[in-house]
Amino acid sequence: MAEHDYSARVVWTGNRGEGTAHYNAYARSWNVETPGKPVIRCSNDPLLGGDPGLHNPEDMLIAALSACHMLWYLHFASDAGIAVAGYEDEPLAVGETDAGGASRFLSATLRPRITVPKGTDLAAADALHGRIHAVCFIARSVNFPVKIAARYRVSG
């Protein structure tokens, strides 16, 4: 096994002058600042008073899960001789919050739309999804079920 290090710098930007003197004194906002990359401005989930125009941790988790799946799908498709011409996903995660305020994801469904050329074996293209969760870094790390509901477009 080879270990890999990943790092980020998370900087709270929500001090309105009083710090955390009381619950409404501060904003739930921060920046993700990774050297050499664009800053990602973030906020809490809008359900908890966050800015709906900024990414929240839940957005980033489902996006990371989807992106990891996509990258492995493209890799496996290339190896299988399946010429993917387009890939887009609109993943959906379902979460719950208990009476005490603790939250968690219950499940996620990846819903990729994949464009392939006429003559592609769609059963073989679809079967690639079943291999991904054994290798995808993010999918192997989450503790909720991830379903795949792929749709295919045939071009040409």
Side-chain angles (χ1 to χ4, degrees), residues 59 61-71 73-74 86-93 108-115 129 132-133 146-151 153:
D59 294 336
L61 178 62
I62 191 65
L65 181 63
S66 174
C68 187
H69 185 92
M70 175 191 69
L71 292 168
Y73 185 86
L74 298 173
Y87 188 110
E88 52 187 79
D89 192 7
E90 295 179 15
L92 176 65
T109 302
L110 305 181
R111 304 178 300 178
R113 279 191 311 245
I114 302 163
T115 304
H129 294 287
I132 294 171
H133 283 103
V146 178
K147 302 172 210 125
I148 310 300
R151 296 161 289 164
R153 288 186 213 155

Side-chain angles (χ1 to χ4, degrees), residues 17-60:
E18 297 180 78
T20 59
H22 56 86
Y23 188 75
N24 292 320
Y26 63 97
R28 281 70 173 168
S29 60
W30 68 93
N31 290 337
V32 176
E33 301 174 356
T34 305
K37 299 177 183 180
V39 171
I40 303 170
R41 294 180 53 233
C42 302
S43 183
N44 203 14
D45 186 310
L47 294 172
L48 300 169
D51 183 337
L54 299 178
H55 295 287
N56 61 55
E58 296 79 11
D59 294 336
M60 291 190 285

